[in-house]
Amino acid sequence: MSTETREHAEEAGATDSHGWPDLPGDTALTIRVPEANPLVRAGFPAHVTVLYPFLNESRLTPSTHADLTGLFAAHPAFTLTFDEFRRYPGVLYLAPTPETPVRALTRSLTTRWPEALPYRGIFTPPLAPHLTLANDEGPDTCEAAYDALQSQLAPCLPLTSHVTTVHLIVTDGPGKGWRDLRTYRLGAGRVSPPRDTGGGPKRP
């Protein structure tokens, strides 16, 4: 479980804390937002999580990838705008606009795989789509630090990102980071071959 997610749990009201931290073989589906990378101070590339965790890597089969390819192909590409800072306790993030296409992807995935509960089902209501900018300040310093960071980054907004792909990533366990497995295209019936860039987000 990332620092980001722990802080969300305190704010959102977790109904169950079992199953944390990240487990070996945990996977996630994320949207990369490279335009926001210069703004991120959280130690991982800018991204919006579509579903974390997805199925354990041990459960992924050619049929799973075929289903994911078809599922994402049925959703058109879209553009996200980031122009508003928001906070959870200990977390500064950008809210994407519109949220609808991201939520639609999550809904399609959880309809097809109902066992893949977002954030293991510990949040009520589920977390809104978000792009974490910073999450490493303690309770005594975060407000002042994030006020200063928000003022510094405000001239960079708004920023937009055209989303054409969703990335499937996997972790080997706590502290092991995340690596790419597949990249699925929106609105197209193709999927890239497996690859390991070593540069995936440390936490979804």
Side-chain angles (χ1 to χ4, degrees), residues 2-181:
S2 65
T3 301
E4 172 191 0
T5 319
R6 289 190 186 95
E7 299 293 352
H8 289 330
E10 294 175 4
E11 170 71 3
T15 59
D16 181 10
S17 60
H18 297 295
W20 304 99
D22 302 321
L23 304 175
D26 270 353
T27 65
L29 290 152
T30 68
I31 293 168
R32 302 279 172 81
V33 186
E35 296 85 354
N37 279 335
L39 283 64
V40 172
R41 305 294 188 268
F44 42 73
H47 66 283
V48 175
T49 299
V50 176
L51 181 59
Y52 163 82
F54 183 50
L55 305 182
N56 190 274
E57 185 181 19
S58 63
R59 293 188 55 193
L60 301 178
T61 66
S63 177
T64 308
H65 294 300
D67 286 350
L68 286 168
T69 298
L71 184 151
F72 288 119
H75 288 261
F78 53 88
T79 298
L80 295 178
T81 298
F82 299 87
D83 61 4
E84 181 181 358
F85 296 100
R86 294 183 188 175
R87 300 184 192 185
Y88 290 106
V91 180
L92 177 67
Y93 69 93
L94 294 174
T97 304
E99 293 184 351
T100 305
V102 181
R103 290 184 181 274
L105 291 174
T106 305
R107 185 167 55 252
S108 291
L109 289 163
T110 54
T111 297
R112 171 60 183 83
W113 291 280
E115 69 272 35
L117 298 176
Y119 297 96
R120 306 195 203 279
I122 71 169
F123 299 107
T124 303
L127 297 180
H130 58 279
L131 189 160
T132 297
L133 297 175
N135 64 355
D136 59 352
E137 294 287 341
D140 296 331
T141 59
C142 64
E143 293 305 322
Y146 293 161
D147 284 347
L149 180 57
Q150 187 170 318
S151 296
Q152 175 189 343
L153 299 180
C156 301
L157 302 185
L159 62 83
T160 61
S161 182
H162 188 59
V163 179
T164 60
T165 56
V166 176
H167 297 263
L168 176 65
I169 59 176
V170 64
T171 182
D172 293 322
K176 299 296 181 66
W178 292 77
R179 52 188 169 84
D180 287 351
L181 284 178

